[in-house]
Amino acid sequence: WLAPKLKASGEDCLSRANREMLFKLALSDVGPWAATLVRRGDGFKPNTKDTHEAALAYLIECYPELTFVTWNINGAADVVKYKKWEKANEEERFITIGHQGDTEIVAEKSRGIDPNYFLLGPEVVDVSPATALKKLRARDDAALKDMLHQGVKTWCYENSPYKPGSGPGTKDSFSFLF
C-alpha cells in the first residue's frame, strides 16, 4: 500500500530490504530480540496472522527464557476511528500512541479498561511520512531529532531518495508530478 501512495504524490519508495534494514537500525538500542521480528524470508505475507504466529514462535525459540505477550501498537487517530478500546481483552491488547486532537477522546473512552489490556501513551510529535520527508530534504536536524533515530537520519541523508536537495521537481528526482 505504501508504494502507490508515495508514487501518487511524486515520491519514490524505499525497497523492502532498505525498510527492514532501517527498522533494525531504529531498534538497535532496544535489544537483539526486537529486530528478530523483521521478516526473514519465511514465505509468509507481511501483516497477517501467519506472520505474527511464525514470528512469535521464532522469538520463543530464540529466547526461551523470556515470556512474550503480544500488544498491538496504534496511533490514537486509528483507535478513535475504529473504537479499538472496545476490543481490548486478554487476547487482544493495545498500546495507543497519543496524537493531538485524539488523545483526550481515547483517554475518556478507555477510562476503566484494565491496563493489562489497554494502555495510552503520551502524545508524540507529528511523525507523518510527509513531514519527515520535508524535514529530511530541508536537513532540519532540530525537528528530526524527535522524529527519527540518529542512525536512520544519517542513512537517509546519505543514501535515500529523500536526501537534502532531492524530491519532486528537483534535478535529482526520479518522480514526476503531472
Side-chain angles (χ1 to χ4, degrees):
W1 64 267
L2 186 59
K5 184 176 180 180
L6 285 170
K7 187 172 181 131
S9 67
E11 296 289 356
D12 291 317
C13 185
L14 295 176
S15 69
R16 175 179 292 281
N18 280 336
R19 291 193 314 269
E20 289 178 359
M21 179 273 304
L22 291 170
F23 180 78
K24 284 182 178 181
L25 187 59
L27 291 175
S28 62
D29 300 336
V30 176
W33 66 268
T36 305
L37 291 179
V38 173
R39 194 164 175 245
R40 303 178 331 275
D42 54 16
F44 292 108
K45 293 180 181 177
N47 301 321
T48 66
K49 186 176 180 186
D50 288 340
T51 300
H52 170 260
E53 289 174 0
L56 187 58
Y58 184 70
L59 284 170
I60 292 167
E61 178 184 324
C62 291
Y63 304 96
E65 71 281 6
L66 299 179
T67 299
F68 293 94
V69 176
T70 302
W71 287 77
N72 298 293
I73 300 177
N74 296 268
D78 192 61
V79 171
V80 169
K81 182 177 181 178
Y82 297 105
K83 299 179 181 180
K84 292 188 176 181
W85 57 83
E86 294 176 352
K87 301 174 184 175
N89 61 55
E90 189 173 357
E91 298 299 316
E92 196 165 5
R93 300 166 193 251
F94 294 90
I95 297 174
T96 301
I97 306 302
H99 187 266
Q100 188 174 9
D102 295 305
T103 305
E104 289 181 18
I105 296 168
V106 174
E108 179 185 321
K109 298 291 187 179
S110 64
R111 193 169 283 120
I113 296 177
D114 188 332
N116 288 305
Y117 309 136
F118 192 94
L119 296 173
L120 175 59
E123 287 188 358
V124 296
V125 296
D126 181 7
V127 291
S128 73
T131 301
L133 297 182
K134 182 178 177 184
K135 301 300 181 184
L136 279 167
R137 289 197 170 112
R139 202 171 188 108
D140 187 343
D141 288 327
L144 290 168
K145 180 179 182 286
D146 293 328
M147 290 185 186
L148 299 177
H149 183 278
Q150 177 63 38
V152 171
K153 179 181 78 172
T154 300
W155 185 90
C156 287
Y157 278 164
E158 296 171 0
N159 304 289
S160 80
Y162 320 120
K163 59 188 167 198
S166 67
T170 66
K171 67 180 179 79
D172 295 327
S173 176
F174 295 104
S175 303
F176 299 94
L177 290 176
F178 296 101

